[in-house]
Amino acid sequence: MTRLGGSTNTTDLLVVGPSLGTRVESLLGRCAHALADRFDVVGWDLPGHGRSQPASAPYTIADLADAVREESDRQAGTRPAWYAGVSIAGLVGFQLGLDPGPFRAVATLASAPRIGSVESWQERAAQVRRAGMQSLVAASAVRWFAPGFLDREPRTAGRLLAQLSDTDSPSYAWPCDALAVCDLRPRLGDTKVPLLVAAGEQDQVFTPQAIRAATEAAPDMTFEVVAGCGHLPPVEDATAVAAMLSLYFPEHGDFE
């Protein structure tokens, strides 16, 4: 895990995770900076992304949740802990909600308990194995960002797309395989902690309507829409996401 803001002296721990094909520092760094006065913000990367070593074998979403829970428990110690994840890391958040370990509440952004279809993820994995990561860049530029973001922040968007292209191909394909078989919708009613579900207003991957419909079964769910954002709200509007999280967590669980 990588510290993105705050310190071990900060009272509360916030663990954050990124979307598939992104690095946690690039996606959530500005958001973490805005939260650093209230949280020790620590991020994790998927295998083969960012600072993580490439994957050496297939794994499941439950495996990711187990690893995040174990390391977060160690990082938290006696401190309160909270979790926020984007897209695939949001799906990890839904998994953590069933067995939260140190987490008192979970926030998911641009995510749902079921992401895509078996066929779409199988096709994506096959494409990467056949044609490499560069073959994903053009479609991701459209899929990730709300209209106008590429023109408004070309450096930020360009950095994220370059990092996607540089991602280890097997380490991208294996989580596609994991996403193909993960469906937590039947278990959503067993969520054990408060859940914040946030959608990007202009997300083409998951519309707000689709996300809300997919998560209504959660017993203690709060739904929010991040205005003007596509599939990566923490990079498109870090200020709004940081404000949303800083307001939500104090109201859910014993915030210290």
Short mmCIF file of all heavy atoms in Angstrom, two decimals, residues 31-78:
data_model
loop_
_atom_site.label_atom_id
_atom_site.label_comp_id
_atom_site.label_asym_id
_atom_site.label_seq_id
_atom_site.Cartn_x
_atom_site.Cartn_y
_atom_site.Cartn_z
N CYS A 31 -7.56 13.81 -4.57
CA CYS A 31 -8.63 13.60 -3.60
C CYS A 31 -8.04 13.33 -2.22
O CYS A 31 -8.49 13.88 -1.21
CB CYS A 31 -9.49 12.43 -4.06
SG CYS A 31 -10.97 12.16 -3.09
N ALA A 32 -6.99 12.50 -2.16
CA ALA A 32 -6.34 12.18 -0.89
C ALA A 32 -5.73 13.42 -0.26
O ALA A 32 -5.80 13.61 0.96
CB ALA A 32 -5.27 11.12 -1.11
N HIS A 33 -5.13 14.28 -1.07
CA HIS A 33 -4.54 15.52 -0.56
C HIS A 33 -5.61 16.37 0.13
O HIS A 33 -5.36 16.96 1.20
CB HIS A 33 -3.89 16.29 -1.69
CG HIS A 33 -3.27 17.59 -1.25
ND1 HIS A 33 -2.08 17.65 -0.56
CD2 HIS A 33 -3.70 18.88 -1.40
CE1 HIS A 33 -1.80 18.92 -0.29
NE2 HIS A 33 -2.75 19.67 -0.79
N ALA A 34 -6.79 16.42 -0.45
CA ALA A 34 -7.88 17.22 0.13
C ALA A 34 -8.43 16.61 1.41
O ALA A 34 -9.06 17.31 2.21
CB ALA A 34 -9.00 17.37 -0.90
N LEU A 35 -8.19 15.32 1.62
CA LEU A 35 -8.70 14.63 2.81
C LEU A 35 -7.64 14.45 3.90
O LEU A 35 -7.95 13.94 4.98
CB LEU A 35 -9.22 13.24 2.41
CG LEU A 35 -10.48 13.21 1.55
CD1 LEU A 35 -10.66 11.84 0.92
CD2 LEU A 35 -11.71 13.59 2.38
N ALA A 36 -6.42 14.89 3.63
CA ALA A 36 -5.29 14.56 4.50
C ALA A 36 -5.38 15.18 5.88
O ALA A 36 -4.71 14.71 6.81
CB ALA A 36 -3.98 14.97 3.84
N ASP A 37 -6.19 16.22 6.06
CA ASP A 37 -6.30 16.81 7.39
C ASP A 37 -7.17 15.97 8.31
O ASP A 37 -7.11 16.12 9.54
CB ASP A 37 -6.85 18.24 7.30
CG ASP A 37 -8.25 18.29 6.68
OD1 ASP A 37 -8.58 17.38 5.90
OD2 ASP A 37 -8.99 19.25 6.98
N ARG A 38 -7.97 15.05 7.74
CA ARG A 38 -8.88 14.24 8.56
C ARG A 38 -8.56 12.76 8.53
O ARG A 38 -8.98 12.01 9.41
CB ARG A 38 -10.33 14.43 8.08
CG ARG A 38 -10.79 15.87 8.07
CD ARG A 38 -12.27 15.99 7.85
NE ARG A 38 -13.03 15.56 9.01
CZ ARG A 38 -14.36 15.65 9.10
NH1 ARG A 38 -15.05 16.14 8.08
NH2 ARG A 38 -14.99 15.25 10.17
N PHE A 39 -7.82 12.32 7.51
CA PHE A 39 -7.57 10.89 7.34
C PHE A 39 -6.11 10.62 7.02
O PHE A 39 -5.45 11.42 6.35
CB PHE A 39 -8.40 10.32 6.18
CG PHE A 39 -9.89 10.43 6.33
CD1 PHE A 39 -10.57 11.50 5.82
CD2 PHE A 39 -10.60 9.44 6.99
CE1 PHE A 39 -11.95 11.61 5.94
CE2 PHE A 39 -11.97 9.53 7.12
CZ PHE A 39 -12.66 10.62 6.60
N ASP A 40 -5.64 9.47 7.45
CA ASP A 40 -4.41 8.87 6.93
C ASP A 40 -4.86 8.08 5.70
O ASP A 40 -5.45 7.01 5.81
CB ASP A 40 -3.81 7.94 7.99
CG ASP A 40 -2.55 7.25 7.53
OD1 ASP A 40 -1.97 7.69 6.51
OD2 ASP A 40 -2.14 6.28 8.18
N VAL A 41 -4.63 8.62 4.50
CA VAL A 41 -5.14 8.02 3.27
C VAL A 41 -4.08 7.10 2.68
O VAL A 41 -2.98 7.53 2.31
CB VAL A 41 -5.54 9.09 2.25
CG1 VAL A 41 -6.25 8.44 1.06
CG2 VAL A 41 -6.44 10.15 2.88
N VAL A 42 -4.42 5.82 2.56
CA VAL A 42 -3.51 4.80 2.06
C VAL A 42 -4.18 4.12 0.88
O VAL A 42 -5.35 3.72 0.96
CB VAL A 42 -3.18 3.78 3.16
CG1 VAL A 42 -2.28 2.67 2.60
CG2 VAL A 42 -2.49 4.46 4.34
N GLY A 43 -3.45 3.99 -0.23
CA GLY A 43 -4.02 3.40 -1.43
C GLY A 43 -3.39 2.06 -1.78
O GLY A 43 -2.22 1.82 -1.48
N TRP A 44 -4.16 1.22 -2.44
CA TRP A 44 -3.64 -0.04 -2.94
C TRP A 44 -3.79 -0.09 -4.46
O TRP A 44 -4.69 0.52 -5.03
CB TRP A 44 -4.33 -1.25 -2.29
CG TRP A 44 -5.81 -1.38 -2.56
CD1 TRP A 44 -6.83 -0.80 -1.86
CD2 TRP A 44 -6.43 -2.16 -3.60
NE1 TRP A 44 -8.04 -1.15 -2.39
CE2 TRP A 44 -7.83 -1.99 -3.46
CE3 TRP A 44 -5.95 -2.96 -4.62
CZ2 TRP A 44 -8.74 -2.60 -4.31
CZ3 TRP A 44 -6.86 -3.58 -5.48
CH2 TRP A 44 -8.24 -3.40 -5.32
N ASP A 45 -2.90 -0.81 -5.11
CA ASP A 45 -2.94 -1.01 -6.56
C ASP A 45 -3.21 -2.47 -6.88
O ASP A 45 -2.80 -3.37 -6.15
CB ASP A 45 -1.61 -0.60 -7.20
CG ASP A 45 -1.52 0.88 -7.50
OD1 ASP A 45 -2.46 1.41 -8.13
OD2 ASP A 45 -0.53 1.51 -7.10
N LEU A 46 -3.87 -2.69 -8.00
CA LEU A 46 -4.00 -4.05 -8.52
C LEU A 46 -2.63 -4.61 -8.88
O LEU A 46 -1.71 -3.84 -9.20
CB LEU A 46 -4.88 -4.04 -9.77
CG LEU A 46 -6.37 -3.76 -9.55
CD1 LEU A 46 -7.00 -3.33 -10.87
CD2 LEU A 46 -7.06 -4.99 -9.00
N PRO A 47 -2.45 -5.91 -8.84
CA PRO A 47 -1.18 -6.50 -9.29
C PRO A 47 -0.85 -6.02 -10.70
O PRO A 47 -1.71 -5.95 -11.58
CB PRO A 47 -1.47 -8.00 -9.26
CG PRO A 47 -2.53 -8.16 -8.21
CD PRO A 47 -3.39 -6.94 -8.33
N GLY A 48 0.43 -5.66 -10.90
CA GLY A 48 0.86 -5.21 -12.22
C GLY A 48 0.48 -3.80 -12.56
O GLY A 48 0.70 -3.34 -13.69
N HIS A 49 -0.09 -3.06 -11.60
CA HIS A 49 -0.46 -1.67 -11.77
C HIS A 49 0.33 -0.83 -10.76
O HIS A 49 0.53 -1.26 -9.61
CB HIS A 49 -1.95 -1.45 -11.49
CG HIS A 49 -2.88 -2.13 -12.45
ND1 HIS A 49 -2.91 -3.49 -12.62
CD2 HIS A 49 -3.85 -1.62 -13.27
CE1 HIS A 49 -3.86 -3.80 -13.52
NE2 HIS A 49 -4.42 -2.68 -13.92
N GLY A 50 0.74 0.37 -11.16
CA GLY A 50 1.41 1.26 -10.23
C GLY A 50 2.65 0.63 -9.62
O GLY A 50 3.52 0.13 -10.32
N ARG A 51 2.71 0.63 -8.28
CA ARG A 51 3.88 0.11 -7.58
C ARG A 51 3.83 -1.39 -7.32
O ARG A 51 4.76 -1.96 -6.77
CB ARG A 51 4.04 0.84 -6.22
CG ARG A 51 4.26 2.34 -6.34
CD ARG A 51 4.20 2.99 -4.96
NE ARG A 51 4.29 4.44 -5.03
CZ ARG A 51 5.40 5.14 -4.83
NH1 ARG A 51 6.51 4.51 -4.55
NH2 ARG A 51 5.39 6.45 -4.92
N SER A 52 2.72 -2.03 -7.70
CA SER A 52 2.56 -3.46 -7.41
C SER A 52 3.31 -4.33 -8.41
O SER A 52 3.39 -4.02 -9.59
CB SER A 52 1.07 -3.84 -7.43
OG SER A 52 0.38 -3.23 -6.37
N GLN A 53 3.80 -5.45 -7.92
CA GLN A 53 4.45 -6.42 -8.79
C GLN A 53 3.42 -7.08 -9.70
O GLN A 53 2.25 -7.20 -9.34
CB GLN A 53 5.16 -7.48 -7.95
CG GLN A 53 6.34 -6.96 -7.15
CD GLN A 53 7.43 -6.44 -8.05
OE1 GLN A 53 7.86 -7.11 -9.00
NE2 GLN A 53 7.89 -5.22 -7.79
N PRO A 54 3.82 -7.50 -10.90
CA PRO A 54 2.87 -8.19 -11.79
C PRO A 54 2.26 -9.42 -11.14
O PRO A 54 2.88 -10.06 -10.29
CB PRO A 54 3.74 -8.57 -13.00
CG PRO A 54 4.86 -7.59 -12.98
CD PRO A 54 5.14 -7.32 -11.52
N ALA A 55 1.07 -9.73 -11.54
CA ALA A 55 0.41 -10.93 -11.05
C ALA A 55 1.15 -12.16 -11.57
O ALA A 55 1.68 -12.17 -12.68
CB ALA A 55 -1.04 -10.96 -11.51
N SER A 56 1.17 -13.20 -10.77
CA SER A 56 1.82 -14.45 -11.17
C SER A 56 0.82 -15.58 -11.39
O SER A 56 1.19 -16.65 -11.86
CB SER A 56 2.83 -14.88 -10.10
OG SER A 56 2.19 -15.04 -8.84
N ALA A 57 -0.46 -15.32 -11.07
CA ALA A 57 -1.49 -16.35 -11.23
C ALA A 57 -2.86 -15.66 -11.19
O ALA A 57 -3.00 -14.54 -10.70
CB ALA A 57 -1.39 -17.38 -10.10
N PRO A 58 -3.89 -16.34 -11.68
CA PRO A 58 -5.24 -15.77 -11.60
C PRO A 58 -5.67 -15.59 -10.15
O PRO A 58 -5.15 -16.25 -9.24
CB PRO A 58 -6.10 -16.82 -12.30
CG PRO A 58 -5.17 -17.62 -13.14
CD PRO A 58 -3.87 -17.63 -12.39
N TYR A 59 -6.64 -14.69 -9.94
CA TYR A 59 -7.19 -14.46 -8.60
C TYR A 59 -8.64 -13.99 -8.74
O TYR A 59 -9.11 -13.70 -9.84
CB TYR A 59 -6.35 -13.43 -7.84
CG TYR A 59 -6.16 -12.11 -8.56
CD1 TYR A 59 -7.11 -11.09 -8.47
CD2 TYR A 59 -5.03 -11.87 -9.33
CE1 TYR A 59 -6.95 -9.88 -9.13
CE2 TYR A 59 -4.85 -10.67 -9.99
CZ TYR A 59 -5.81 -9.68 -9.89
OH TYR A 59 -5.65 -8.48 -10.55
N THR A 60 -9.33 -13.92 -7.62
CA THR A 60 -10.74 -13.53 -7.60
C THR A 60 -10.92 -12.19 -6.89
O THR A 60 -10.00 -11.69 -6.23
CB THR A 60 -11.59 -14.59 -6.88
OG1 THR A 60 -11.22 -14.60 -5.48
CG2 THR A 60 -11.37 -15.99 -7.46
N ILE A 61 -12.10 -11.62 -7.02
CA ILE A 61 -12.43 -10.40 -6.29
C ILE A 61 -12.38 -10.66 -4.78
O ILE A 61 -11.91 -9.82 -4.01
CB ILE A 61 -13.81 -9.87 -6.70
CG1 ILE A 61 -13.83 -9.53 -8.21
CG2 ILE A 61 -14.20 -8.66 -5.87
CD1 ILE A 61 -12.83 -8.47 -8.62
N ALA A 62 -12.81 -11.84 -4.37
CA ALA A 62 -12.73 -12.19 -2.94
C ALA A 62 -11.29 -12.24 -2.47
O ALA A 62 -10.97 -11.84 -1.34
CB ALA A 62 -13.42 -13.54 -2.70
N ASP A 63 -10.37 -12.73 -3.33
CA ASP A 63 -8.95 -12.73 -2.97
C ASP A 63 -8.44 -11.31 -2.76
O ASP A 63 -7.69 -11.05 -1.81
CB ASP A 63 -8.12 -13.39 -4.08
CG ASP A 63 -8.36 -14.89 -4.21
OD1 ASP A 63 -8.76 -15.52 -3.22
OD2 ASP A 63 -8.15 -15.41 -5.32
N LEU A 64 -8.82 -10.39 -3.63
CA LEU A 64 -8.42 -8.99 -3.47
C LEU A 64 -8.95 -8.43 -2.16
O LEU A 64 -8.24 -7.75 -1.42
CB LEU A 64 -8.94 -8.15 -4.64
CG LEU A 64 -8.26 -8.35 -5.99
CD1 LEU A 64 -9.01 -7.54 -7.06
CD2 LEU A 64 -6.80 -7.92 -5.95
N ALA A 65 -10.23 -8.70 -1.87
CA ALA A 65 -10.82 -8.20 -0.63
C ALA A 65 -10.10 -8.76 0.59
O ALA A 65 -9.86 -8.03 1.57
CB ALA A 65 -12.31 -8.55 -0.58
N ASP A 66 -9.74 -10.03 0.55
CA ASP A 66 -9.02 -10.63 1.67
C ASP A 66 -7.68 -9.92 1.89
O ASP A 66 -7.28 -9.64 3.03
CB ASP A 66 -8.76 -12.12 1.41
CG ASP A 66 -10.02 -12.96 1.51
OD1 ASP A 66 -11.03 -12.47 2.07
OD2 ASP A 66 -10.00 -14.11 1.01
N ALA A 67 -6.97 -9.65 0.79
CA ALA A 67 -5.66 -9.00 0.91
C ALA A 67 -5.80 -7.58 1.44
O ALA A 67 -5.03 -7.14 2.30
CB ALA A 67 -4.97 -9.00 -0.44
N VAL A 68 -6.80 -6.85 0.94
CA VAL A 68 -7.03 -5.47 1.40
C VAL A 68 -7.43 -5.46 2.87
O VAL A 68 -6.94 -4.65 3.66
CB VAL A 68 -8.11 -4.79 0.53
CG1 VAL A 68 -8.54 -3.45 1.14
CG2 VAL A 68 -7.60 -4.57 -0.88
N ARG A 69 -8.29 -6.38 3.26
CA ARG A 69 -8.75 -6.44 4.65
C ARG A 69 -7.59 -6.74 5.60
O ARG A 69 -7.43 -6.09 6.64
CB ARG A 69 -9.83 -7.53 4.80
CG ARG A 69 -10.48 -7.56 6.18
CD ARG A 69 -11.41 -8.76 6.32
NE ARG A 69 -12.42 -8.82 5.28
CZ ARG A 69 -12.42 -9.69 4.27
NH1 ARG A 69 -11.43 -10.58 4.16
NH2 ARG A 69 -13.37 -9.68 3.37
N GLU A 70 -6.76 -7.70 5.23
CA GLU A 70 -5.64 -8.09 6.09
C GLU A 70 -4.65 -6.95 6.27
O GLU A 70 -4.23 -6.63 7.39
CB GLU A 70 -4.94 -9.31 5.49
CG GLU A 70 -3.76 -9.80 6.31
CD GLU A 70 -3.09 -11.02 5.72
OE1 GLU A 70 -3.60 -11.55 4.70
OE2 GLU A 70 -2.05 -11.44 6.25
N GLU A 71 -4.26 -6.31 5.16
CA GLU A 71 -3.29 -5.22 5.24
C GLU A 71 -3.89 -4.00 5.94
O GLU A 71 -3.22 -3.30 6.70
CB GLU A 71 -2.79 -4.85 3.85
CG GLU A 71 -1.79 -3.71 3.82
CD GLU A 71 -0.52 -3.98 4.62
OE1 GLU A 71 -0.21 -5.16 4.89
OE2 GLU A 71 0.19 -3.00 4.96
N SER A 72 -5.17 -3.74 5.70
CA SER A 72 -5.83 -2.59 6.33
C SER A 72 -5.94 -2.78 7.83
O SER A 72 -5.81 -1.83 8.60
CB SER A 72 -7.21 -2.39 5.72
OG SER A 72 -7.12 -2.13 4.34
N ASP A 73 -6.19 -4.00 8.25
CA ASP A 73 -6.26 -4.29 9.67
C ASP A 73 -4.91 -4.00 10.33
O ASP A 73 -4.84 -3.43 11.43
CB ASP A 73 -6.65 -5.75 9.88
CG ASP A 73 -7.12 -6.03 11.29
OD1 ASP A 73 -7.89 -5.23 11.84
OD2 ASP A 73 -6.70 -7.06 11.86
N ARG A 74 -3.84 -4.34 9.63
CA ARG A 74 -2.51 -4.06 10.15
C ARG A 74 -2.24 -2.56 10.18
O ARG A 74 -1.70 -2.03 11.15
CB ARG A 74 -1.46 -4.77 9.29
CG ARG A 74 -0.05 -4.72 9.87
CD ARG A 74 0.97 -5.30 8.91
NE ARG A 74 1.17 -4.46 7.75
CZ ARG A 74 1.93 -3.36 7.75
NH1 ARG A 74 2.55 -2.97 8.86
NH2 ARG A 74 2.07 -2.65 6.66
N GLN A 75 -2.63 -1.86 9.12
CA GLN A 75 -2.40 -0.42 9.04
C GLN A 75 -3.22 0.35 10.07
O GLN A 75 -2.77 1.35 10.64
CB GLN A 75 -2.76 0.10 7.64
CG GLN A 75 -1.89 -0.43 6.52
CD GLN A 75 -0.71 0.47 6.21
OE1 GLN A 75 -0.60 1.57 6.73
NE2 GLN A 75 0.16 -0.01 5.35
N ALA A 76 -4.43 -0.12 10.33
CA ALA A 76 -5.33 0.61 11.22
C ALA A 76 -4.90 0.51 12.67
O ALA A 76 -4.97 1.49 13.42
CB ALA A 76 -6.76 0.09 11.05
N GLY A 77 -4.49 -0.67 13.08
CA GLY A 77 -4.20 -0.86 14.50
C GLY A 77 -5.48 -0.66 15.31
O GLY A 77 -6.49 -1.32 15.07
N THR A 78 -5.46 0.31 16.23
CA THR A 78 -6.65 0.59 17.03
C THR A 78 -7.47 1.75 16.47
O THR A 78 -8.48 2.13 17.05
CB THR A 78 -6.24 0.94 18.47
OG1 THR A 78 -5.38 2.09 18.46
CG2 THR A 78 -5.51 -0.24 19.12
#
